[in-house]
């Protein structure tokens, strides 16, 4: 069973390469087949998962043992939620594109590259796998925007996410060095490597890391790239951005911020709460004035703001509520995008629209136990 997790991540990557090598007429069917098979593998990994069992589905292969870097895969409750969500959203996106007979070769290949990158980031137990997967997903989105969207939209995404990557990577490298050049996420969480540095340095590390992830989420005032990208991307890629790629910032903040640096996180929690409130209010105001995809982007801003407030309060009940909201928006916003594409006025797409709507309702209920188990395991790490 341990080989199923890396295989579920590798399969979309192979599918994307196959699409680029095949005639364009086969791209939608090949994307649908690949995402369906990846979803089956993800479900096979998820079925025996114990919500209170800690890290599971572990597999490892040494790559650069002298540097403490390896191909480490594993899932806790948070990782399982996002890894499975990635497969679900990717399959739904490919199904909508196939039934609507939309989506060319490049679009379908980039969909699978985003799935592979996000899956690697969520399922990797090595911080360098997280960074590598994050960059693959962002590069695929930027490539798609460069082909389909105005030049300004692609430039904004590259600028903001480039800064986000630089800030986050620099902070992660410092944590890696402070941890004795060990990149294993579990060791980072157990050792709290930032604790060996003075508190002032810890706050700087956490501040740089949080700033990078705030750009990725994004929080106000780092949000302009999201508004344009979500509006200009084709529906399958827009769904992946809303449900899978943007939450990488929240995932990173929890995984490498709160769990690894609880002291600085508590010290700087007022800043997180303030930025979260600003994003929440701005997103709600924008959602009232905007329409279409722009409204979806504003709803995402508001939801991310509420999430960060819940995390910043640093109480177990608020963290649990934040995780439930994370589950709701993770499936709800992609469902919104895809349901708008699969309008029920078209008889061919009506079943898809109904299925997407049901998934949006049932997903938070199905994953509540897994996320609650993760919250229970997170609490001791952050001193709750």
């Amino acid at each position: 069973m341990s080989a199923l997790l890396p295989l579920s991540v590798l399969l979309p990557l192979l599918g994307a390469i196959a699409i680029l090598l095949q005639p364009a007429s086969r791209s939608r069917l090949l994307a649908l087949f690949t995402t369906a098979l990846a979803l089956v593998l993800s479900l096979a990994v998820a079925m025996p998962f114990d919500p209170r069992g800690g890290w599971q589905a572990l597999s490892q292969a040494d790559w650069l043992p002298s540097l403490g870097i390896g191909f480490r895969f594993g899932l806790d409750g948070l990782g399982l939620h996002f890894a499975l969500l990635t497969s679900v959203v990717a399959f739904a996106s490919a199904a909508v594109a196939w039934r609507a007979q939309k989506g060319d070769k490049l679009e379908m290949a980039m969909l699978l590259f985003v799935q592979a990158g996000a899956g690697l980031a969520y399922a990797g137990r090595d911080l360098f796998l997280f960074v590598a997967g994050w960059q693959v997903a962002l590069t695929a989105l930027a490539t798609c925007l460069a082909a389909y969207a105005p030049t300004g939209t692609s430039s904004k995404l590259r600028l903001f996410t480039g800064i986000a990557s630089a800030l986050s990577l620099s902070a992660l490298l410092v944590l890696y060095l402070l941890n004795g050049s060990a990149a294993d996420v579990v060791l980072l969480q157990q050792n709290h490597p930032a604790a060996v540095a003075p508190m002032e340095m810890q706050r700087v590390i956490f501040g740089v890391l949080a700033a990078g992830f705030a750009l990725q989420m994004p929080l106000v005032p780092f949000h302009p790239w999201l508004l344009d990208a979500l509006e200009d991307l084709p529906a399958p890629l827009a769904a992946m951005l809303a449900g899978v790629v943007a939450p990488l910032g929240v995932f990173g903040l929890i995984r490498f911020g709160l769990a690894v640096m609880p002291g600085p996180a508590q010290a700087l929690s007022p800043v997180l709460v303030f930025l979260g409130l600003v994003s929440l209010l701005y997103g709600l105001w924008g959602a009232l004035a905007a329409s279409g995809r722009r409204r979806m982007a504003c709803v995402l801003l508001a939801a991310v703001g509420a999430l960060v407030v819940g995390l910043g309060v640093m109480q177990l009940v608020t963290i649990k509520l934040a995780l439930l909201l994370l589950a709701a928006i993770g499936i709800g916003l992609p469902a919104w995008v895809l349901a708008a594409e699969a309008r029920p006025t078209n008889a061919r797409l009506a079943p898809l629209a109904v299925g997407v709507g049901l998934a949006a309702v049932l997903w938070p209920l199905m994953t509540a136990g897994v996320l609650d188990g993760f919250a229970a395991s997170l609490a001791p790490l952050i001193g709750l």
Side-chain angles (χ1 to χ4, degrees), residues 163-226:
I163 296 173
S165 301
L167 291 173
S168 301
L169 180 57
S170 62
L172 290 173
L173 283 174
V174 172
L175 289 177
Y176 163 74
L177 295 173
L178 290 174
N179 197 39
S181 298
D184 192 320
V185 171
V186 175
L187 293 179
L188 286 173
Q189 294 177 350
Q190 292 175 345
N191 296 341
H192 287 177
V196 304
M199 180 53 71
E200 293 77 10
M201 182 179 178
Q202 294 182 45
R203 290 177 181 176
V204 171
I205 297 171
F206 180 83
V208 171
L209 185 71
F213 289 135
L215 280 156
Q216 170 65 28
M217 293 179 198
L219 291 174
V220 174
F222 313 118
H223 64 285
W225 71 268
L226 177 71

Side-chain angles (χ1 to χ4, degrees), residues 218-219 272-273 275-277 279-280 300-310:
L219 291 174
L272 292 177
V273 173
L275 289 176
L277 286 173
S279 296
L280 172 61
L300 178 56
L301 285 178
V304 167
L307 266 168
V308 172
V309 170

Side-chain angles (χ1 to χ4, degrees), residues 34 37 96 117 130 188 262 296 384:
T34 303
L37 186 54
V96 168
F130 168 79
L188 286 173
M296 298 177 195
L384 298 180

Side-chain angles (χ1 to χ4, degrees), residues 135-147:
Q135 298 312 303
V136 169
L138 290 178
T139 300
L141 287 177
T143 301
C144 201
L145 281 173

